[in-house]
Amino acid sequence: MNIKPIETRYAGYRFRSRAEARWAVFMDALGVPWDYEPQGYVIEGIPYLPDFLVYPESRFAFWLEIKGTFPTKEEIGKAQLLAKGTGTTAFVYFGKPEVPAPDLSHITSFEDFMGSPGHIWTDEDGWREYPVRPAQWEIGLPPTAFRLDPSSMMRRPKSGFWWWSDCPHCGRAIIKAAGQVIGCPDLPEDADQPAVHFAHHTPRLLNAYRAARSARFEHGESP
């Protein structure tokens, strides 16, 4: 059976899928600048047209590839090469345009964030400790995306909890690991910061997810 997404028009663009258009509505609701399919590339001899360049022409720029299902190895590999070739981080996002986790703001200590005290030693990434099992808050949550960095080409990418987060320090909405907004570059180095700060469930983000889900594109209707 031959089946493909229906193209959707929004904000002067013709998106290849309804999911892409909904993410554009989401970013517009947050005031996040984006450009859709701004530049095509030839990667390993194959033409490649990335979906979004978010925060274009800034030091916060990143590629955002939207997938309706879990990406293939080939799709992840192309995003890796895109990140390396352009020097810009790429996310392959396969989560739905909805809040990825419940409110976790009650977790404020590193001990609660990491979960149970059992650890094993590993020689990866400089002999860091890793939990034997997921923390309680992680159980039942699905991964949302792959993050591919220009300098991490030798590592096998793993999907994880990459969530849109609402930074209270600089006001930017950006994708961060588990919604953490620790280490904002606009914050002074000597500023006091909590060890854990979930910022994926703010009113502004909830409104943006709501706008994305409820958007109507038929017959010239505005989202």
Side-chain angles (χ1 to χ4, degrees), residues 144-162:
T144 57
F146 285 83
R147 172 175 168 148
L148 299 316
D149 292 306
S151 60
S152 62
M153 297 300 294
M154 299 306 294
R155 300 180 183 178
R156 185 174 64 183
K158 295 181 179 179
S159 60
F161 298 142
W162 293 103

Side-chain angles (χ1 to χ4, degrees), residues 74-88:
E74 290 75 17
E75 290 170 333
I76 298 168
K78 284 198 299 184
Q80 269 195 317
L81 293 171
L82 174 70
K84 181 180 181 182
T86 61
T88 302

Side-chain angles (χ1 to χ4, degrees), residues 19-186:
E20 291 175 352
R22 291 194 186 283
W23 280 112
V25 172
F26 172 85
M27 289 186 282
D28 280 350
L30 292 169
V32 172
W34 53 268
D35 200 356
Y36 181 66
E37 295 186 343
Q39 177 63 55
Y41 300 93
V42 176
I43 297 180
E44 300 290 327
I46 301 173
Y48 182 34
L49 189 58
D51 293 337
F52 292 98
L53 182 59
V54 184
Y55 289 108
E57 301 180 5
S58 80
R59 62 192 174 108
F60 305 105
F62 61 89
W63 296 104
L64 180 60
E65 280 284 271
I66 301 300
K67 302 297 178 186
T69 57
F70 194 86
T72 65
K73 289 182 179 180
E74 290 75 17
E75 290 170 333
I76 298 168
K78 284 198 299 184
Q80 269 195 317
L81 293 171
L82 174 70
K84 181 180 181 182
T86 61
T88 302
T89 295
F91 289 93
V92 181
Y93 205 100
F94 52 89
K96 296 180 180 180
E98 58 188 32
V99 62
D103 185 7
L104 299 170
S105 58
H106 60 283
I107 299 176
T108 56
S109 72
F110 186 71
E111 291 75 17
D112 290 339
F113 180 83
M114 293 302 293
S116 59
H119 288 75
I120 57 173
W121 288 100
T122 174
D123 60 0
E124 297 176 359
D125 298 325
W127 295 94
R128 294 172 60 187
E129 288 184 331
Y130 287 86
V132 174
R133 53 186 179 273
Q136 187 66 34
W137 64 266
E138 295 179 282
I139 296 174
L141 294 179
T144 57
F146 285 83
R147 172 175 168 148
L148 299 316
D149 292 306
S151 60
S152 62
M153 297 300 294
M154 299 306 294
R155 300 180 183 178
R156 185 174 64 183
K158 295 181 179 179
S159 60
F161 298 142
W162 293 103
W163 301 341
W164 281 91
S165 306
D166 191 4
C167 181
H169 310 299
C170 66
R172 278 185 296 270
I174 199 165
I175 300 176
K176 299 284 286 185
Q180 297 297 299
V181 289
I182 308 301
C184 174
D186 286 359

